[in-house]
Amino acid sequence: MRTLRFGDYGDDVKTLQNLLNQRGYVVQITGIFDTQTTNAVRNFQRANRDDQGRLLVADTIVGPKTWGALTRGSSPNVITTSPPPQPADNDNRVVLVGLALAGVALFFLWN
């Protein structure tokens, strides 16, 4: 991955934004390294360490050490999800599935 900083754009910025979201640093997936992404990167860097166990430098530049911390233990281009639990046969339980899209929660009701 290339080194990213404020003002960059492209699919690799989307990958960065996805990884930040996976780790709890919520940003919109725009493909633009904007102020929201900058703040999330800074917060991530302040809270995480590199492969040598040293705190990352909170410079908001996503270079090899920050990419390494973001991708450690996962594939940078894959978002994994678990399948929803299956209700028992002939069970009339209601299954609620919440999807968050653009800040709006949608709920589907299945019988």
Side-chain angles (χ1 to χ4, degrees):
M1 292 289 196
R2 71 179 168 127
T3 297
L4 297 176
R5 58 182 44 87
F6 182 81
D8 287 340
Y9 58 91
D11 287 339
D12 46 1
V13 176
K14 287 182 182 180
T15 298
L16 167 63
Q17 291 166 331
N18 273 312
L19 288 166
L20 288 166
N21 280 320
Q22 288 177 25
R23 282 146 185 79
Y25 300 88
V26 179
V27 295
Q28 289 184 324
I29 309 299
T30 62
I32 302 168
F33 200 130
D34 55 11
T35 302
Q36 185 182 43
T37 304
T38 299
N39 292 334
V41 167
R42 181 183 296 113
N43 291 334
F44 175 83
Q45 289 172 327
R46 286 179 177 161
N48 288 276
R49 297 178 180 273
D50 65 16
D51 291 335
Q52 304 301 316
R54 294 182 297 256
L55 281 173
L56 294 170
V57 175
D59 59 4
T60 71
I61 296 171
V62 182
K65 291 181 181 180
T66 300
W67 277 121
L70 281 164
T71 59
R72 196 171 306 132
S74 71
S75 172
N77 296 315
V78 176
I79 299 174
T80 58
T81 59
S82 300
Q86 298 297 317
D89 289 344
N90 299 325
D91 189 351
N92 289 327
R93 286 188 281 170
V94 175
V95 178
L96 295 177
V97 177
L99 300 173
L101 300 172
V104 177
L106 302 173
F107 292 95
F108 296 94
L109 194 63
W110 290 319
N111 285 331

XYZ file of all heavy atoms in Angstrom:
861
model
N 0.840 -1.186 0.000
C 0.000 0.000 0.000
C 0.883 1.247 0.000
O 1.906 1.271 0.671
C -0.872 0.022 1.253
C -1.921 -1.055 1.296
S -3.178 -0.695 0.089
C -4.438 -1.756 0.643
N 0.420 2.254 -0.704
C 1.183 3.496 -0.735
C 0.971 4.273 0.557
O -0.010 4.055 1.282
C 0.802 4.339 -1.951
C -0.595 4.966 -1.874
C -0.893 5.818 -3.113
N -2.306 6.175 -3.152
C -2.757 7.414 -3.272
N -1.915 8.426 -3.382
N -4.057 7.652 -3.304
N 1.861 5.203 0.843
C 1.723 6.081 1.992
C 0.607 7.074 1.701
O 0.545 7.660 0.616
C 3.050 6.816 2.270
O 4.034 5.836 2.606
C 2.906 7.801 3.406
N -0.302 7.231 2.682
C -1.452 8.121 2.505
C -1.396 9.265 3.504
O -0.938 9.096 4.631
C -2.756 7.342 2.710
C -3.035 6.208 1.738
C -4.312 5.470 2.138
C -3.154 6.739 0.313
N -1.934 10.403 3.071
C -2.021 11.582 3.939
C -3.207 12.432 3.509
O -3.843 12.148 2.487
C -0.722 12.386 3.895
C -0.345 12.841 2.516
C 0.976 13.599 2.424
N 2.079 13.056 3.147
C 2.930 12.132 2.711
N 2.770 11.642 1.487
N 3.916 11.704 3.428
N -3.496 13.450 4.306
C -4.616 14.350 4.036
C -4.594 14.813 2.571
O -3.557 15.198 2.051
C -4.548 15.561 4.975
C -5.691 16.507 4.795
C -6.918 16.256 5.391
C -5.558 17.643 4.020
C -7.978 17.125 5.226
C -6.616 18.517 3.851
C -7.834 18.248 4.457
N -5.751 14.731 1.923
C -5.899 15.181 0.541
C -5.797 14.073 -0.488
O -6.204 14.255 -1.630
N -5.243 12.914 -0.097
C -5.164 11.793 -1.034
C -6.558 11.218 -1.274
O -7.477 11.418 -0.470
C -4.256 10.692 -0.491
C -2.781 11.068 -0.542
O -2.416 11.972 -1.320
O -1.993 10.445 0.203
N -6.705 10.517 -2.386
C -7.993 9.889 -2.705
C -7.759 8.633 -3.524
O -6.693 8.452 -4.105
C -8.905 10.865 -3.459
C -8.310 11.380 -4.745
C -8.542 10.728 -5.945
C -7.502 12.512 -4.749
C -7.985 11.191 -7.122
C -6.938 12.984 -5.921
C -7.181 12.323 -7.105
O -6.620 12.775 -8.266
N -8.754 7.757 -3.515
C -8.674 6.542 -4.303
C -9.141 5.329 -3.526
O -9.589 5.419 -2.381
N -9.020 4.164 -4.178
C -9.466 2.913 -3.561
C -8.670 2.564 -2.313
O -9.204 1.975 -1.377
C -9.391 1.758 -4.565
C -10.483 1.842 -5.631
O -11.506 2.524 -5.381
O -10.314 1.222 -6.690
N -7.379 2.921 -2.294
C -6.594 2.619 -1.099
C -7.048 3.462 0.093
O -6.963 3.020 1.238
C -5.094 2.764 -1.343
C -4.701 4.022 -2.090
O -5.575 4.842 -2.427
O -3.500 4.189 -2.351
N -7.593 4.641 -0.154
C -8.168 5.441 0.933
C -9.452 4.771 1.425
O -9.708 4.720 2.629
C -8.425 6.903 0.506
C -9.101 7.687 1.616
C -7.114 7.581 0.106
N -10.241 4.202 0.506
C -11.431 3.447 0.920
C -11.030 2.251 1.777
O -11.693 1.937 2.768
C -12.235 2.979 -0.300
C -12.993 4.083 -0.994
C -13.804 3.516 -2.153
C -14.538 4.611 -2.888
N -15.326 4.082 -4.008
N -9.956 1.567 1.393
C -9.463 0.450 2.193
C -9.089 0.930 3.583
O -9.454 0.305 4.584
C -8.248 -0.209 1.504
O -8.660 -0.724 0.241
C -7.662 -1.321 2.359
N -8.375 2.042 3.666
C -8.017 2.638 4.958
C -9.268 2.929 5.774
O -9.353 2.590 6.959
C -7.221 3.929 4.739
C -7.027 4.828 5.955
C -6.212 4.134 7.034
C -6.400 6.150 5.539
N -10.262 3.560 5.157
C -11.489 3.916 5.865
C -12.232 2.671 6.354
O -12.766 2.657 7.464
C -12.365 4.802 4.974
C -11.747 6.169 4.758
C -12.387 6.967 3.634
O -12.914 6.419 2.670
N -12.335 8.288 3.753
N -12.258 1.619 5.543
C -12.872 0.355 5.968
C -12.147 -0.228 7.174
O -12.777 -0.689 8.131
C -12.876 -0.662 4.825
C -14.092 -0.536 3.942
O -15.211 -0.469 4.426
N -13.866 -0.504 2.650
N -10.822 -0.234 7.138
C -10.038 -0.766 8.252
C -10.262 0.047 9.526
O -10.375 -0.518 10.619
C -8.550 -0.799 7.888
C -8.146 -1.869 6.881
C -6.744 -1.602 6.347
C -8.235 -3.249 7.501
N -10.315 1.360 9.392
C -10.582 2.200 10.566
C -11.948 1.858 11.150
O -12.096 1.720 12.371
C -10.506 3.684 10.187
C -9.101 4.226 9.916
C -9.175 5.589 9.230
C -8.280 4.309 11.192
N -12.951 1.716 10.303
C -14.294 1.358 10.778
C -14.289 0.009 11.480
O -14.928 -0.153 12.523
C -15.294 1.351 9.617
C -15.760 2.740 9.255
O -15.992 3.573 10.116
N -15.880 3.009 7.974
N -13.579 -0.977 10.928
C -13.506 -2.307 11.534
C -12.916 -2.247 12.932
O -13.229 -3.077 13.775
C -12.650 -3.240 10.680
C -13.296 -3.672 9.395
C -12.347 -4.529 8.572
O -11.450 -5.162 9.101
N -12.547 -4.535 7.271
N -12.070 -1.282 13.171
C -11.402 -1.157 14.469
C -12.063 -0.141 15.387
O -11.527 0.224 16.424
C -9.926 -0.842 14.252
C -9.170 -2.095 13.865
C -8.049 -1.860 12.909
N -7.436 -3.118 12.490
C -7.947 -3.921 11.579
N -9.087 -3.662 11.011
N -7.344 -5.029 11.233
N -13.264 0.328 14.996
C -14.038 1.199 15.867
C -13.803 2.686 15.688
O -14.320 3.494 16.456
N -13.044 3.073 14.685
C -12.796 4.484 14.401
C -13.697 4.858 13.218
O -13.313 4.728 12.069
C -11.313 4.726 14.087
C -10.427 4.338 15.243
C -9.951 3.038 15.382
C -10.094 5.272 16.213
C -9.154 2.675 16.461
C -9.294 4.919 17.293
C -8.830 3.617 17.408
O -8.050 3.266 18.479
N -14.900 5.296 13.527
C -15.958 5.420 12.533
C -15.730 6.620 11.611
O -15.581 7.754 12.068
C -17.338 5.535 13.222
C -18.441 5.690 12.193
C -17.576 4.318 14.099
N -15.690 6.310 10.314
C -15.567 7.328 9.271
C -16.470 6.937 8.107
O -16.795 5.764 7.933
C -14.115 7.493 8.756
C -13.199 8.011 9.841
C -13.585 6.201 8.177
N -16.856 7.915 7.314
C -17.610 7.620 6.100
C -16.644 7.088 5.046
O -15.501 7.542 4.949
C -18.307 8.867 5.571
C -19.470 9.318 6.422
C -20.189 10.502 5.796
O -19.573 11.367 5.188
N -21.494 10.532 5.958
N -17.113 6.134 4.253
C -16.306 5.560 3.177
C -16.506 6.430 1.940
O -17.470 6.270 1.206
C -16.712 4.099 2.874
C -16.759 3.260 4.143
C -15.772 3.488 1.840
C -15.474 3.148 4.887
N -15.591 7.366 1.746
C -15.692 8.304 0.625
C -14.571 8.130 -0.386
O -14.693 8.594 -1.525
C -15.648 9.755 1.137
O -14.373 9.965 1.771
C -16.777 10.045 2.105
N -13.466 7.510 0.050
C -12.307 7.428 -0.818
C -11.477 8.692 -0.807
O -10.507 8.810 -1.557
N -11.835 9.645 0.058
C -11.094 10.904 0.179
C -10.526 10.995 1.592
O -11.259 10.864 2.573
C -12.003 12.114 -0.097
C -12.608 12.012 -1.501
C -11.232 13.425 0.074
C -13.724 12.994 -1.764
N -9.232 11.229 1.703
C -8.570 11.371 2.999
C -8.884 12.784 3.495
O -8.142 13.729 3.279
C -7.057 11.152 2.845
C -6.335 10.809 4.113
C -5.494 9.723 4.157
C -6.462 11.592 5.242
C -4.797 9.397 5.310
C -5.770 11.277 6.406
C -4.936 10.177 6.440
N -10.013 12.902 4.172
C -10.528 14.193 4.613
C -10.242 14.412 6.096
O -9.505 13.658 6.726
C -12.029 14.280 4.323
C -12.809 13.117 4.932
O -12.252 12.350 5.746
O -13.996 12.972 4.590
N -10.833 15.463 6.672
C -10.624 15.791 8.086
C -11.102 14.673 8.994
O -10.431 14.339 9.987
C -11.348 17.113 8.431
O -10.846 18.140 7.580
C -11.102 17.506 9.876
N -12.238 14.069 8.692
C -12.767 12.971 9.505
C -11.788 11.793 9.513
O -11.512 11.210 10.563
C -14.133 12.544 8.961
C -14.828 11.491 9.796
C -16.148 11.061 9.187
O -16.245 10.851 7.981
N -17.156 10.923 10.025
N -11.249 11.466 8.356
C -10.276 10.378 8.259
C -8.991 10.743 8.998
O -8.422 9.913 9.711
C -9.980 10.050 6.783
O -11.223 9.746 6.122
C -9.035 8.873 6.640
N -8.551 11.987 8.855
C -7.350 12.454 9.554
C -7.503 12.281 11.062
O -6.597 11.771 11.735
C -7.076 13.933 9.221
O -6.849 14.052 7.816
C -5.866 14.461 9.969
N -8.636 12.693 11.606
C -8.876 12.581 13.046
C -8.901 11.116 13.490
O -8.348 10.765 14.538
C -10.170 13.284 13.439
C -10.068 14.785 13.288
O -8.983 15.357 13.350
N -11.190 15.428 13.067
N -9.526 10.249 12.683
C -9.586 8.830 13.021
C -8.194 8.202 12.989
O -7.838 7.409 13.877
C -10.529 8.100 12.066
N -7.390 8.560 11.990
C -6.022 8.035 11.896
C -5.215 8.489 13.112
O -4.512 7.682 13.738
C -5.335 8.469 10.581
C -3.836 8.193 10.620
C -5.975 7.769 9.392
N -5.316 9.761 13.472
C -4.585 10.281 14.637
C -4.971 9.507 15.900
O -4.104 9.078 16.668
C -4.857 11.769 14.840
C -4.100 12.357 16.036
C -4.422 13.826 16.283
N -3.983 14.646 15.154
C -4.814 15.293 14.335
N -6.119 15.223 14.502
N -4.337 16.021 13.343
N -6.269 9.302 16.106
C -6.731 8.574 17.285
C -6.254 7.117 17.260
O -5.859 6.576 18.293
C -8.248 8.650 17.404
C -8.706 10.053 17.748
O -7.979 10.836 18.340
N -9.929 10.380 17.365
N -6.301 6.496 16.083
C -5.802 5.122 15.950
C -4.320 5.061 16.292
O -3.867 4.185 17.034
C -6.043 4.591 14.530
C -5.458 3.233 14.302
C -6.147 2.088 14.689
C -4.191 3.084 13.733
C -5.592 0.824 14.515
C -3.636 1.830 13.555
C -4.340 0.696 13.950
N -3.538 5.985 15.736
C -2.096 5.978 15.980
C -1.775 6.187 17.458
O -0.858 5.569 17.991
C -1.409 7.052 15.123
C -1.395 6.702 13.647
C -0.901 7.834 12.772
O -1.118 9.014 13.064
N -0.230 7.481 11.677
N -2.520 7.044 18.120
C -2.280 7.305 19.550
C -2.560 6.075 20.413
O -2.000 5.945 21.491
C -3.155 8.460 20.027
C -2.684 9.809 19.544
C -3.588 10.916 20.029
N -3.077 12.213 19.607
C -3.801 13.321 19.550
N -5.079 13.295 19.902
N -3.265 14.445 19.153
N -3.421 5.184 19.931
C -3.860 4.045 20.740
C -3.201 2.721 20.354
O -3.487 1.706 20.974
C -5.380 3.910 20.634
N -2.336 2.717 19.335
C -1.800 1.449 18.831
C -0.284 1.470 18.700
O 0.348 2.521 18.686
C -2.448 1.115 17.480
C -3.882 0.697 17.662
O -4.155 -0.457 17.946
N -4.813 1.640 17.539
N 0.264 0.257 18.587
C 1.715 0.064 18.535
C 2.130 -0.565 17.210
O 1.331 -1.207 16.539
C 2.149 -0.837 19.693
C 1.854 -0.207 21.034
C 2.240 -1.104 22.195
N 1.936 -0.473 23.459
C 2.753 0.358 24.110
N 3.933 0.643 23.606
N 2.394 0.890 25.254
N 3.409 -0.386 16.885
C 3.941 -1.003 15.669
C 4.346 -2.456 15.955
O 4.130 -2.961 17.064
C 5.107 -0.188 15.103
C 6.333 -0.143 16.013
O 6.443 -0.975 16.953
O 7.193 0.722 15.784
N 4.949 -3.118 14.962
C 5.343 -4.525 15.103
C 6.411 -4.740 16.172
O 6.589 -5.849 16.656
C 5.849 -5.076 13.765
C 4.738 -5.214 12.734
O 3.562 -5.348 13.147
O 5.037 -5.182 11.532
N 7.115 -3.678 16.546
C 8.158 -3.768 17.570
C 7.625 -3.427 18.958
O 8.384 -3.381 19.919
C 9.313 -2.818 17.216
C 9.912 -3.062 15.851
C 10.464 -4.466 15.704
O 11.129 -4.975 16.597
N 10.175 -5.106 14.580
N 6.326 -3.131 19.053
C 5.718 -2.818 20.341
C 5.824 -1.365 20.752
O 5.453 -1.000 21.871
N 6.304 -0.515 19.855
C 6.406 0.917 20.156
C 5.137 1.626 19.707
O 4.559 1.277 18.669
C 7.616 1.514 19.440
C 8.949 0.988 19.947
C 10.097 1.673 19.223
N 10.058 1.370 17.798
C 10.882 0.510 17.195
N 11.781 -0.135 17.884
N 10.791 0.299 15.906
N 4.725 2.631 20.486
C 3.562 3.422 20.081
C 3.811 4.041 18.707
O 4.920 4.485 18.416
C 3.282 4.525 21.097
C 2.566 4.101 22.369
C 2.502 5.267 23.361
C 1.169 3.603 22.067
N 2.771 4.063 17.903
C 2.870 4.714 16.597
C 3.006 6.220 16.798
O 2.482 6.784 17.770
C 1.620 4.435 15.769
C 1.393 2.985 15.356
C -0.003 2.817 14.769
C 2.453 2.538 14.364
N 3.692 6.874 15.884
C 3.777 8.330 15.896
C 2.457 8.864 15.357
O 2.020 8.474 14.273
C 4.958 8.822 15.030
C 4.974 10.339 14.957
C 6.275 8.280 15.565
N 1.810 9.739 16.113
C 0.494 10.267 15.718
C 0.678 11.458 14.773
O 0.352 12.601 15.107
C -0.309 10.654 16.952
N 1.194 11.165 13.574
C 1.450 12.216 12.584
C 0.382 12.281 11.500
O 0.480 13.094 10.586
C 2.822 12.027 11.955
C 2.987 10.676 11.258
O 2.009 9.897 11.197
O 4.109 10.391 10.798
N -0.621 11.421 11.572
C -1.748 11.299 10.622
C -1.306 10.833 9.236
O -2.118 10.816 8.312
C -2.591 12.585 10.500
O -1.858 13.598 9.818
C -3.055 13.077 11.866
N -0.059 10.427 9.090
C 0.423 9.856 7.830
C 0.347 8.337 7.952
O 0.831 7.762 8.915
C 1.860 10.310 7.525
C 1.882 11.827 7.325
C 2.406 9.586 6.296
C 3.279 12.416 7.239
N -0.292 7.705 6.975
C -0.455 6.258 6.997
C 0.639 5.639 6.140
O 0.507 5.493 4.927
C -1.862 5.840 6.514
C -2.030 4.329 6.594
C -2.927 6.535 7.331
N 1.745 5.315 6.823
C 2.880 4.682 6.177
C 2.941 3.213 6.557
O 1.965 2.653 7.087
N 4.086 2.570 6.330
C 4.211 1.132 6.576
C 3.859 0.704 8.009
O 3.229 -0.334 8.198
C 5.681 0.839 6.267
C 6.108 1.934 5.349
C 5.300 3.130 5.732
N 4.262 1.476 9.016
C 3.985 1.078 10.399
C 2.498 1.161 10.719
O 1.942 0.276 11.371
C 4.796 1.925 11.370
C 6.270 1.619 11.303
C 7.063 2.451 12.277
C 8.546 2.132 12.146
N 9.358 2.918 13.069
N 1.832 2.215 10.254
C 0.399 2.350 10.512
C -0.372 1.314 9.713
O -1.304 0.680 10.235
C -0.090 3.774 10.191
O 0.632 4.695 11.027
C -1.585 3.921 10.459
N 0.002 1.093 8.438
C -0.646 0.029 7.652
C -0.482 -1.305 8.353
O -1.413 -2.100 8.435
C -0.057 -0.059 6.241
C -0.603 0.899 5.241
C 0.090 1.837 4.542
C -1.956 1.009 4.775
N -0.740 2.527 3.693
C -2.004 2.034 3.815
C -3.141 0.336 5.093
C -3.175 2.406 3.158
C -4.318 0.715 4.439
C -4.322 1.733 3.489
N 0.728 -1.569 8.879
C 0.976 -2.825 9.565
C 0.068 -3.010 10.772
O -0.490 -4.086 10.989
N -0.090 -1.948 11.555
C -0.956 -2.020 12.733
C -2.417 -2.188 12.333
O -3.176 -2.907 12.989
C -0.782 -0.765 13.594
N -2.824 -1.545 11.245
C -4.208 -1.648 10.786
C -4.531 -3.029 10.232
O -5.646 -3.517 10.400
C -4.485 -0.603 9.698
C -4.735 0.815 10.167
C -4.593 1.797 9.008
C -6.113 0.936 10.802
N -3.565 -3.643 9.566
C -3.841 -4.906 8.878
C -3.395 -6.125 9.671
O -3.644 -7.248 9.237
C -3.167 -4.935 7.492
O -1.759 -4.779 7.652
C -3.722 -3.853 6.593
N -2.750 -5.921 10.801
C -2.267 -7.053 11.602
C -3.432 -7.977 11.931
O -4.427 -7.586 12.509
C -1.624 -6.538 12.885
C -0.766 -7.563 13.579
C 0.024 -6.960 14.734
N 0.810 -5.806 14.280
C 0.829 -4.644 14.921
N 0.156 -4.458 16.020
N 1.538 -3.643 14.450
N -3.328 -9.228 11.524
C -4.352 -10.219 11.858
C -5.569 -10.191 10.965
O -6.557 -10.843 11.245
N -5.523 -9.410 9.874
C -6.673 -9.391 8.966
C -6.206 -9.085 7.558
O -5.103 -8.615 7.346
C -7.703 -8.340 9.401
O -7.199 -7.041 9.155
N -7.065 -9.361 6.597
C -6.793 -8.989 5.220
C -7.297 -7.576 5.006
O -8.436 -7.273 5.340
C -7.511 -9.948 4.266
O -7.391 -9.489 2.949
N -6.497 -6.668 4.448
C -6.914 -5.270 4.327
C -8.062 -5.029 3.370
O -8.681 -3.991 3.426
C -5.650 -4.560 3.831
C -4.855 -5.617 3.159
C -5.180 -6.897 3.908
N -8.365 -5.979 2.504
C -9.415 -5.754 1.516
C -10.678 -6.557 1.780
O -11.570 -6.584 0.952
C -8.886 -6.079 0.118
C -7.771 -5.147 -0.277
O -7.878 -3.948 -0.082
N -6.697 -5.693 -0.790
N -10.740 -7.240 2.909
C -11.879 -8.104 3.181
C -12.516 -7.707 4.503
O -11.836 -7.552 5.504
C -11.448 -9.585 3.255
C -12.617 -10.468 3.627
C -10.838 -10.012 1.938
N -13.831 -7.503 4.480
C -14.583 -7.266 5.700
C -15.333 -8.554 5.997
O -16.093 -9.031 5.167
C -15.569 -6.097 5.535
C -14.820 -4.814 5.222
C -16.432 -5.941 6.777
C -15.710 -3.639 4.906
N -15.074 -9.130 7.157
C -15.733 -10.387 7.492
C -16.940 -10.121 8.378
O -16.937 -9.210 9.193
C -14.767 -11.336 8.223
O -14.302 -10.682 9.400
C -13.586 -11.702 7.342
N -17.975 -10.914 8.171
C -19.168 -10.823 9.001
C -19.601 -12.228 9.380
O -19.272 -13.193 8.698
C -20.331 -10.134 8.248
O -20.609 -10.890 7.070
C -19.996 -8.702 7.873
N -20.323 -12.341 10.450
C -20.853 -13.629 10.870
C -22.271 -13.778 10.346
O -23.017 -12.806 10.281
C -20.885 -13.719 12.395
O -19.594 -13.582 12.906
N -22.677 -14.997 9.996
C -24.062 -15.189 9.556
C -25.004 -14.981 10.734
O -24.638 -15.231 11.877
C -24.092 -16.636 9.071
C -22.943 -17.291 9.747
C -21.910 -16.231 9.982
N -26.227 -14.502 10.480
C -27.177 -14.298 11.571
C -27.591 -15.634 12.174
O -27.592 -16.662 11.488
C -28.365 -13.606 10.894
C -28.255 -13.975 9.458
C -26.790 -14.161 9.180
N -27.928 -15.652 13.454
C -28.379 -16.900 14.062
C -29.679 -17.361 13.419
O -30.522 -16.552 13.034
C -28.582 -16.539 15.532
C -28.707 -15.060 15.562
C -27.961 -14.539 14.377
N -29.840 -18.663 13.300
C -31.035 -19.233 12.679
C -32.053 -19.600 13.751
O -31.709 -20.274 14.716
C -30.669 -20.482 11.874
C -29.711 -20.208 10.734
C -30.304 -19.285 9.701
O -31.458 -19.426 9.334
N -29.529 -18.323 9.250
N -33.325 -19.174 13.603
C -34.343 -19.566 14.579
C -34.665 -21.058 14.448
O -34.482 -21.641 13.388
C -35.553 -18.711 14.210
C -35.328 -18.302 12.800
C -33.835 -18.289 12.583
N -35.121 -21.659 15.537
C -35.493 -23.072 15.518
C -36.701 -23.279 14.619
O -37.492 -22.372 14.389
C -35.813 -23.540 16.937
N -36.859 -24.523 14.085
C -38.014 -24.846 13.239
C -39.312 -24.571 13.993
O -39.439 -24.861 15.176
C -37.973 -26.318 12.828
C -36.867 -26.588 11.830
O -36.343 -25.617 11.234
O -36.509 -27.769 11.652
N -40.299 -24.016 13.266
C -41.630 -23.723 13.804
C -41.590 -22.789 15.013
O -42.509 -22.753 15.816
C -42.373 -25.011 14.193
C -42.573 -25.903 12.990
O -42.790 -25.420 11.878
N -42.492 -27.204 13.195
N -40.532 -22.065 15.141
C -40.411 -21.111 16.238
C -40.911 -19.764 15.725
O -40.516 -19.304 14.672
C -38.945 -21.019 16.680
C -38.767 -20.227 17.953
O -39.744 -19.600 18.400
O -37.649 -20.242 18.493
N -41.784 -19.119 16.432
C -42.349 -17.856 15.998
C -41.587 -16.661 16.566
O -42.125 -15.565 16.676
C -43.829 -17.767 16.384
C -44.672 -18.704 15.559
O -44.354 -18.946 14.395
N -45.715 -19.247 16.148
N -40.353 -16.908 16.930
C -39.554 -15.793 17.430
C -39.402 -14.731 16.355
O -39.389 -15.010 15.163
C -38.171 -16.267 17.842
C -38.153 -17.035 19.130
C -36.753 -17.287 19.564
N -36.209 -18.398 18.797
C -34.946 -18.752 18.791
N -34.084 -18.083 19.488
N -34.538 -19.780 18.080
N -39.263 -13.532 16.774
C -39.028 -12.416 15.864
C -37.521 -12.170 15.807
O -36.855 -12.100 16.825
C -39.754 -11.149 16.362
C -39.415 -9.963 15.483
C -41.246 -11.395 16.417
N -37.019 -12.106 14.607
C -35.597 -11.845 14.419
C -35.451 -10.413 13.906
O -36.017 -10.049 12.889
C -34.984 -12.831 13.399
C -33.514 -12.526 13.178
C -35.191 -14.261 13.866
N -34.728 -9.633 14.641
C -34.484 -8.250 14.238
C -33.072 -8.129 13.700
O -32.119 -8.562 14.326
C -34.658 -7.307 15.418
C -36.057 -7.208 16.015
C -36.032 -6.280 17.221
C -37.032 -6.696 14.979
N -32.967 -7.587 12.546
C -31.660 -7.363 11.956
C -31.512 -5.862 11.744
O -32.310 -5.243 11.060
C -31.519 -8.107 10.608
C -30.176 -7.805 9.974
C -31.706 -9.592 10.812
N -30.541 -5.295 12.363
C -30.310 -3.852 12.221
C -29.196 -3.584 11.230
O -28.137 -4.150 11.320
N -29.485 -2.766 10.292
C -28.477 -2.357 9.318
C -28.286 -0.858 9.444
O -29.249 -0.101 9.388
C -28.931 -2.687 7.891
C -29.200 -4.154 7.574
C -29.791 -4.269 6.177
C -27.919 -4.939 7.672
N -27.081 -0.437 9.620
C -26.796 0.998 9.712
C -26.291 1.473 8.357
O -25.253 1.075 7.892
C -25.765 1.258 10.790
N -27.075 2.285 7.713
C -26.703 2.858 6.421
C -26.819 4.372 6.503
O -27.894 4.905 6.737
C -27.600 2.335 5.298
C -27.595 0.821 5.081
C -28.673 0.439 4.089
C -26.241 0.388 4.571
N -25.727 5.024 6.329
C -25.684 6.491 6.361
C -26.331 7.031 7.624
O -27.020 8.033 7.600
C -26.348 7.058 5.115
N -26.113 6.347 8.730
C -26.616 6.825 10.010
C -28.072 6.517 10.273
O -28.628 6.942 11.265
N -28.731 5.807 9.391
C -30.141 5.470 9.570
C -30.246 3.979 9.866
O -29.719 3.150 9.146
C -30.962 5.788 8.295
C -32.412 5.378 8.470
C -30.854 7.263 7.964
N -30.906 3.638 10.944
C -31.066 2.224 11.296
C -32.338 1.691 10.652
O -33.410 2.242 10.800
C -31.124 2.064 12.803
N -32.197 0.589 9.916
C -33.336 -0.077 9.297
C -33.520 -1.414 9.984
O -32.575 -2.137 10.228
C -33.060 -0.309 7.805
C -32.748 0.916 6.968
C -32.344 0.473 5.565
C -33.954 1.820 6.917
N -34.755 -1.774 10.281
C -35.006 -3.037 10.945
C -35.984 -3.862 10.107
O -36.986 -3.362 9.619
C -35.593 -2.820 12.341
C -34.606 -2.202 13.270
C -34.570 -0.836 13.462
C -33.671 -2.977 13.909
C -33.644 -0.260 14.299
C -32.751 -2.426 14.768
C -32.738 -1.054 14.967
N -35.653 -5.137 9.914
C -36.488 -6.048 9.192
C -37.071 -7.056 10.165
O -36.407 -7.530 11.062
C -35.661 -6.787 8.121
C -35.113 -5.864 7.078
C -33.828 -5.346 7.211
C -35.875 -5.498 5.989
C -33.308 -4.488 6.256
C -35.361 -4.645 5.036
C -34.094 -4.142 5.173
N -38.324 -7.384 9.972
C -39.036 -8.297 10.849
C -39.328 -9.585 10.099
O -39.914 -9.569 9.038
C -40.353 -7.624 11.256
C -41.148 -8.182 12.391
C -40.367 -8.109 13.679
C -42.432 -7.382 12.517
N -38.840 -10.715 10.645
C -39.093 -12.007 10.042
C -39.847 -12.867 11.014
O -39.579 -12.867 12.193
C -37.774 -12.723 9.693
C -37.017 -12.120 8.586
C -37.495 -11.622 7.435
C -35.599 -11.950 8.523
N -36.492 -11.156 6.647
C -35.305 -11.354 7.293
C -34.544 -12.276 9.372
C -34.026 -11.064 6.899
C -33.276 -11.980 8.970
C -33.009 -11.384 7.754
N -40.781 -13.670 10.499
C -41.504 -14.637 11.329
C -41.036 -16.018 10.973
O -40.786 -16.365 9.905
C -43.015 -14.552 11.115
C -43.572 -13.318 11.799
O -43.020 -12.877 12.790
N -44.637 -12.794 11.255
